[in-house]
Amino acid sequence: MKEQTLHAAEAGSPPGGLREGVRRAFLRHEWLRAYTLVSPTLILLIVAMAAPIGVLVGLSLWTQSGMEFDRTLTLANYETFFGKKIYPLVLWRSIQISALVAFATVLLAYPLAYFIAFHVQRHKMVWLILITLPFWTSYLLRVFAWKLILGYNGVVNSGLTTLGLIEQPLEFILYNVTAVVITLAHAWAAFAILPIYVSLEKIDRSLIDAAHDLGEGPVMTFLRVTLPLSMPGVIAATLLVFIPTVGDYVTPKLVGGTTGIMIGNLIQSAFGRGANWPMGAAIAVISMLMVTLAVCVFLGGVKGLKKLLA
Amino acid sequence: MPDEAFISILDVSKHFGPVKAVDRVSINIAQGEFFALLGPSGCGKTTLLRMLAGFEAPTLGEIYIDDQPTASMPPYQRPVNMVFQNYAIFPHLNVYQNIAFGLRKEKLSRSDLDARVNEALALIKLEGYGTRGANELSGGQRQRVALARALIKRPKVLLLDEPLGALDKKLREQMQIELRQLQKSVGITFVFVTHDQEEALTMSDRIAVMSEGHVLEIGSPEGLYERPRTRFVADFIGTMNFFEGRVRAREGGKIAVDAERVGEVQVPADDYDFNAGDTVVVALRPENIRMRPGRPDLTANMAHGTMSNAAYLGDRAHIYVQTEGSEQPILVAMQNLDGAASSATHGERSVALQWSEQAVLLLRPE
């Protein structure tokens, strides 16, 4: 209070007083500097994130009647969602697929991140840039590439046929969940490698020496020291892959077939061909809540696991 | 040198590319000994310690610990444990878990494990700290936890890599005494790396002084301080005045040396094999020089000069005395007995210096 009156007094003083007051307030209050620093981002987040989500929630409470919105607030769309089996089923499957994708991606990314962090001595930057190399082409192009690789007459099938290992092309590798998982895992690999790499790179090497010194071989040292200390990276990687893939609709549409359909496809069709925006909004809101719930369950599980191991 | 070597370092070298970090070092360490590796940074002492722990393999030579060759022994199979320079406390574990880390393989029951850990906590006087997180400890406490974590394994050898370097002066002095007492009570061989000569003198049974990958001298603290054989050791341990000189004569059980700045110096001849005409370095500890005001007639082992500078250190004073015709002053240390040093720092300017024959060391020039 005292400082405020002080600044107010200064504001009324001769030219330069206001500027001086602001300057002093800046030097004195750490939080003021901090908020000034984040304010562009904060404004963008409010305008571009919070507002649309508010609109989405509002929209989900309306209903579609013909070409018009019926603006009476109702939970009818949510009743429809849980009334029809297809919606919860597809949502549940999307979460499962994404969990599987996240798991597979982290599992494949970890050794690579470990290799770069611990065994690459020079030119680490080159390795890290190479990892982002797939991102230099369009996402769509990469999905199509997988279609070519996994397709009926694709690289895998024709290769195996030529080698004489199979007589008929394998059909179970495209247009199903497997294809979706493979494609997504590849597409999101860099998002898993980088956070894991950072957390591994941060580990003090003397801790690993210490574990060896205290009698633990390479495997137990990894399990008792390296892995727990890299958990922040693993968690970040899992979330970075899991959360965006739940809503993905391009990959399931192109390589998922009928069994690989995901919640994003349902949202897209509600907004598109289905022309039922309130229903689409409701699906989006529910899937958002479910992803949040899944993340909470995951983080709770990690915490429990930590306690169990300690 | 002890006849029964518990640790035998035989002609060991470690090369990192073109750099010879450790160059043909041989050391024998006896069981139960408190052994210090002393040297300036980059002298190879830590590399040598890491070879004992098994983190580095010798390029040449062999290390035996308790009669076992260690070349094919990974660190986790060696009967040695280490206290790391930064302590390497596991940040994701609490004090109890850190200390118990190395006991997994012993498959102790919960109560036995508790007993062992509590015993270790008592040893380092941290009872009741078991549930503290690694990040809630002060520097001294971290050092103790690192010590307990290593000792609980009951190693045959404990390796310590500058374990007191991160502590402030008072705590360091206290830990020096505690560490020494601890070593005596557990009876384990300690190999201790330090760049602090005072620390090495305080704690060790024997010291190996290293420089540029070589071991220059191995000896007891008293031996190395009072009778160093090389100029590097004489200079590195404690402070020393050096005067270039030439032996004038060897007669009547004495060696007479003409030295720069201090004139004629006489030394008992028994300890040296220098002859007339040899160039030598005369070494004299500052605390062995007595100073009094005035301008006396000079005889052997005396010098005259004027006080040019003084540093007051509380318990003693360092006084710099300029001799005629020389830029480089002679350093004299004066005990602050009944305020003698504080009055000397602004007392008489013209002074006489004197020392005994026994205080003088003759070294071979390098």
Side-chain angles (χ1 to χ4, degrees), chain B residues 47-328:
Chain B
T47 307
L48 193 57
L49 195 76
R50 288 178 62 81
M51 285 196 277
L52 285 173
F55 300 131
E56 309 281 356
T59 313
L60 296 166
E62 180 65 277
I63 297 172
Y64 292 86
I65 298 174
D66 198 13
D67 290 331
Q68 300 280 316
T70 57
S72 57
M73 233 189 257
Y76 44 90
Q77 283 168 6
R78 295 194 182 200
V80 304
N81 285 109
M82 183 147 158
V83 175
F84 289 80
Q85 185 168 16
N86 63 359
Y87 311 139
I89 304 292
F90 299 119
H92 59 300
L93 302 177
N94 64 26
V95 169
Y96 184 103
Q97 292 159 339
N98 261 288
I99 292 176
F101 190 93
L103 295 181
R104 184 187 64 87
K105 280 197 181 147
E106 298 190 17
K107 297 199 163 55
L108 301 173
S109 71
R110 187 79 212 177
S111 58
D112 285 351
L113 185 68
D114 276 344
R116 278 281 282 281
V117 174
N118 286 330
E119 187 190 330
L121 281 169
L123 188 72
I124 55 165
K125 304 193 186 77
L126 282 182
E127 291 107 324
Y129 278 70
T131 54
R132 286 281 181 101
N135 297 325
E136 300 169 57
L137 299 175
S138 71
Q141 289 167 342
R142 293 169 81 81
Q143 196 262 349
R144 286 159 197 255
V145 171
L147 198 62
R149 187 178 71 178
L151 282 174
I152 204 167
K153 294 270 291 171
R154 294 170 184 160
K156 291 176 179 168
V157 180
L158 187 73
L159 308 173
L160 303 105
D161 186 5
E162 307 235 7
L164 308 178
L167 308 180
D168 60 62
K169 191 172 184 316
K170 278 267 182 249
L171 190 58
R172 195 163 65 222
E173 282 169 1
Q174 182 196 337
M175 285 308 294
Q176 284 172 2
I177 310 276
E178 280 187 26
L179 211 52
R180 184 72 179 134
Q181 282 172 347
L182 185 75
Q183 191 261 344
K184 279 188 177 150
S185 67
V186 294
I188 293 172
T189 310
F190 276 34
V191 181
F192 181 91
V193 158
T194 181
H195 67 270
D196 183 338
Q197 41 99 8
E198 211 170 299
E199 199 166 279
L201 291 179
T202 317
M203 299 167 74
S204 334
D205 292 319
R206 284 195 308 147
I207 302 169
V209 183
M210 292 185 71
S211 168
E212 294 173 353
H214 299 277
V215 170
L216 295 178
E217 284 186 50
I218 302 176
S220 66
E222 299 83 359
L224 289 178
Y225 187 81
E226 286 164 24
R227 293 277 144 198
R229 280 179 285 108
T230 57
R231 182 167 177 164
F232 181 89
V233 174
D235 196 22
F236 191 75
I237 299 184
T239 14
M240 189 72 99
N241 293 297
F242 293 104
F243 312 102
E244 314 290 332
R246 184 180 290 276
V247 178
R248 186 203 300 154
R250 183 184 179 118
E251 53 190 14
K254 301 244 163 98
I255 294 177
V257 179
D258 283 323
E260 43 122 15
R261 286 186 282 158
V262 289
E264 186 185 337
V265 176
Q266 279 193 2
V267 192
D270 307 343
D271 305 338
Y272 306 101
D273 55 3
F274 295 113
N275 287 309
D278 290 349
T279 52
V280 291
V281 176
V282 174
L284 202 51
R285 293 275 180 211
E287 71 270 23
N288 286 335
I289 304 175
R290 286 186 303 276
M291 191 180 77
R292 58 194 162 78
R295 179 183 256 284
D297 296 329
L298 291 182
T299 58
N301 294 341
M302 277 181 85
H304 175 263
T306 47
M307 282 167 48
S308 64
N309 224 330
Y312 178 68
L313 303 170
D315 61 336
R316 64 191 189 283
H318 279 174
I319 295 153
Y320 296 86
V321 176
Q322 207 91 44
T323 51
E324 252 171 67
S326 171
E327 286 288 301
Q328 212 184 351

Side-chain angles (χ1 to χ4, degrees), chain A residues 217-235:
Chain A
V219 175
M220 285 312 289
T221 297
F222 174 77
L223 291 176
R224 296 187 71 192
V225 178
T226 317
L227 185 60
L229 288 175
S230 64
M231 266 331 259
V234 171
I235 291 168

Side-chain angles (χ1 to χ4, degrees), chain A residues 196-267:
Chain A
I196 297 173
Y197 163 77
V198 170
S199 69
L200 284 171
E201 184 66 25
K202 261 197 335 203
I203 295 175
D204 182 352
R205 298 300 184 266
S206 68
L207 295 175
I208 290 161
D209 281 348
H212 287 318
D213 186 69
L214 292 166
E216 295 294 16
V219 175
M220 285 312 289
T221 297
F222 174 77
L223 291 176
R224 296 187 71 192
V225 178
T226 317
L227 185 60
L229 288 175
S230 64
M231 266 331 259
V234 171
I235 291 168
T238 309
L239 296 181
L240 273 177
V241 176
F242 174 76
I243 295 171
T245 49
V246 174
D248 190 61
Y249 72 94
V250 177
T251 304
K253 183 149 191 151
L254 290 177
V255 300
T258 46
T259 51
I261 198 171
M262 287 173 75
I263 197 73
N265 301 105
L266 296 185
I267 297 172

Side-chain angles (χ1 to χ4, degrees), chain A residues 55-175:
Chain A
V55 170
L56 199 69
V57 172
L59 188 60
S60 75
L61 296 174
W62 295 348
T63 44
Q64 188 86 26
S65 63
M67 297 296 282
E68 304 277 314
F69 294 140
D70 180 352
R71 300 192 179 187
T72 36
L73 298 183
T74 166
L75 289 172
N77 292 321
Y78 293 89
E79 281 163 23
T80 316
F81 185 95
F82 290 106
K84 286 192 185 171
K85 271 200 179 130
I86 179 75
Y87 291 117
L89 188 77
V90 171
L91 178 58
W92 175 232
R93 198 168 59 197
S94 303
I95 288 173
Q96 280 178 310
I97 290 175
S98 291
L100 192 62
V101 168
F103 181 73
T105 312
V106 167
L107 208 63
L108 292 171
Y110 202 100
L112 195 56
Y114 187 92
F115 175 79
I116 300 171
F118 284 86
H119 295 295
V120 176
Q121 304 294 338
R122 278 179 292 171
H123 309 307
K124 285 190 185 199
M125 211 55 210
V126 175
W127 278 86
L128 292 175
I129 289 168
L130 282 177
I131 283 165
T132 64
L133 206 61
F135 287 84
W136 298 11
T137 60
S138 136
Y139 180 57
L140 214 55
L141 221 58
R142 276 177 282 146
V143 180
F144 271 115
W146 276 108
K147 216 171 154 160
L148 286 178
I149 293 167
L150 301 173
Y152 189 78
N153 288 316
V155 177
V156 173
N157 276 330
S158 57
L160 290 175
T161 321
T162 314
L163 286 172
L165 291 173
I166 50 169
E167 289 180 1
Q168 289 292 312
L170 302 171
E171 290 185 19
F172 64 83
I173 54 174
L174 189 61
Y175 299 127

